[in-house]
Amino acid sequence: FSHVFEFVLIDTLDVTLGLEDSQLDPEDNLRLTGSAFRSVDSIGINEMYVTIAWDDFETEISEDDNAFEYETDLSSTVLSNYHNITVTVEDEFGNKGVESIRFYVTPIPNWMEISTNGTEFMPGSDVAITAAVYDQADRDTSNDIKFELKDPRGKKIVKETLHTNEVYNFQLE
């Protein structure tokens, strides 16, 4: 009778997450919903402590229902591109579950910087132009821009689509 009874202690929770929108603009409302269940039998967790973290932000909420919601307005200077939200749920007994979800912030071009290899050019001169476009967080973004160069009479000399941060070389006619 040395092996009469054996049991396994399961201390994990299953966490489900959802976002109202997964692609947002700066200043949009981020709405996160979620729920937690015991892993062993899928019974909902009624008393839970929820930690929500993304980038340098972290907040804690507590709920008395097996579901939770969190809303916040994104900053006007939020970083562009993908962000991972990590949610940790703990019940009153110390059981835990962790889940992540991603959202995307659309870069909004805010300003452009143009550099050239000179300030005055004569016909026949070689010209090198580089353009950089910066978003709402003053971060360099990768974009295509339409570039037109006109002579003093308004005649188009150059009309090209340029990729930011790449040098575009041409010779003035």
Side-chain angles (χ1 to χ4, degrees), residues 26-105:
E27 299 184 273
D28 277 356
N29 183 266
L30 172 73
R31 184 169 180 264
L32 172 72
T33 58
S35 56
F37 304 89
R38 295 188 327 195
S39 296
V40 68
D41 57 12
S42 298
I43 292 176
I45 304 303
N46 289 326
E47 188 174 331
M48 66 178 118
Y49 308 97
V50 182
T51 303
I52 300 164
W54 58 282
D55 294 350
D56 294 332
F57 172 81
E58 185 173 301
T59 190
E60 294 180 359
I61 58 175
S62 60
E63 291 292 331
D64 293 329
D65 193 3
N66 69 337
F68 61 89
E69 285 185 19
Y70 175 76
E71 282 189 58
T72 188
D73 290 330
L74 297 178
S75 162
S76 63
T77 59
V78 64
L79 295 178
S80 299
N81 299 314
Y82 288 98
H83 299 265
N84 288 318
I85 300 173
T86 301
V87 175
T88 304
V89 176
E90 185 174 348
D91 70 8
E92 60 188 312
F93 305 107
N95 302 311
K96 286 186 179 181
V98 178
E99 189 62 60
S100 295
I101 194 167
R102 284 171 52 140
F103 69 97
Y104 181 82
V105 175

